[in-house]
Amino acid sequence: QKEVEQNSGPLSVPEGAIASLNCTYSDRGSQSFFWYRQYSGKSPELIMSIYSNGDKEDGRFTAQLNKASQYVSLLIRDSQPSDSATYLCAADFGNEKLTFGTGTRLTIIP
Amino acid sequence: GAVVSQHPSRVICKSGTSVKIECRSLDFQATTMFWYRQFPKQSLMLMATSNEGSKATYEQGVEKDKFLINHASLTLSTLTVTSAHPEDSSFYICSASRGQGGTEAFFGQGTRLTVV
């Protein structure tokens, strides 16, 4: 069964520090990976997509993909209280639909 | 760009009635739309995938006669929860994909359904 796994947390990070979120996936053939942010009671919001090995930066967010080790991570620099949310990792296993992890709850401590 | 609008955002209905939820892609044509259900503190559970002009593909365990999906155009998909029961109370979320070989999906605002 194709799966995406995340540590459910909660993960607490001081304001201004770097938050590191990790995700592993089961299918070595996966090509597309996504990070979504979900605030309580709201729907997910796409933050980053990554398709190639290495790093991809967008503002305070950096996604890292290592296909050999089958993991994808999200770094949030200069963490702000507004970053407190659940972060969902998702992968496309080639069946044209996304498989989501269970999400990591992140709390930024002022 | 890539805005998906879902309506209504909240609905309360009586047991036994039906509820329709609309999902619209406002600024792009969505070749595929997805319907999810999310229970409190749990992740998204894919219910079905719909493509314009064809029957929806339902995930295992999802009753197609209870959750009717219609994808009438490239910008509109609807989910109808028929004969709703309290256990159908959940957060229903649609997403839409632009296709073009990728699965980057954009979510609607979600619909909080409460069946009393």
Side-chain angles (χ1 to χ4, degrees), chain A residues 32 34 36 38 41-46 48-49 51 88 91-92 95-103 105, chain B residues 32 34 36 38 41-44 46 49 51 57 59 91 93 101-110 112:
Chain A
S32 308
F34 307 88
Y36 288 84
Q38 186 176 25
K42 303 294 185 182
S43 65
E45 172 191 10
L46 180 65
M48 295 280 284
S49 57
Y51 306 98
L88 299 168
D92 170 16
N95 52 4
E96 298 185 354
K97 57 187 179 183
L98 295 180
T99 299
F100 285 86
T102 52
R105 189 154 52 94
Chain B
T32 307
F34 305 88
Y36 296 85
Q38 187 176 36
K41 299 192 186 306
Q42 295 187 22
S43 190
L44 300 168
L46 179 65
T49 302
N51 293 289
T57 302
E59 295 298 303
F91 192 45
I93 316 173
T103 47
E104 191 174 72
F106 302 90
F107 285 86
Q109 302 94 320
R112 178 76 57 192

Side-chain angles (χ1 to χ4, degrees), chain A residues 6-15 17-23 35 72-77 79-88 102-110:
Chain A
Q6 296 180 252
N7 186 322
S8 62
L11 175 66
S12 296
V13 172
E15 183 176 358
I18 296 175
S20 178
L21 304 162
N22 299 309
C23 171
W35 282 100
V72 57
S73 62
L74 180 70
L75 301 178
I76 306 174
R77 289 182 300 281
S79 297
Q80 303 296 310
S82 59
D83 295 327
S84 297
T86 296
Y87 289 80
L88 299 168
T102 52
T104 298
R105 189 154 52 94
L106 172 66
T107 301
I108 306 302
I109 304 169

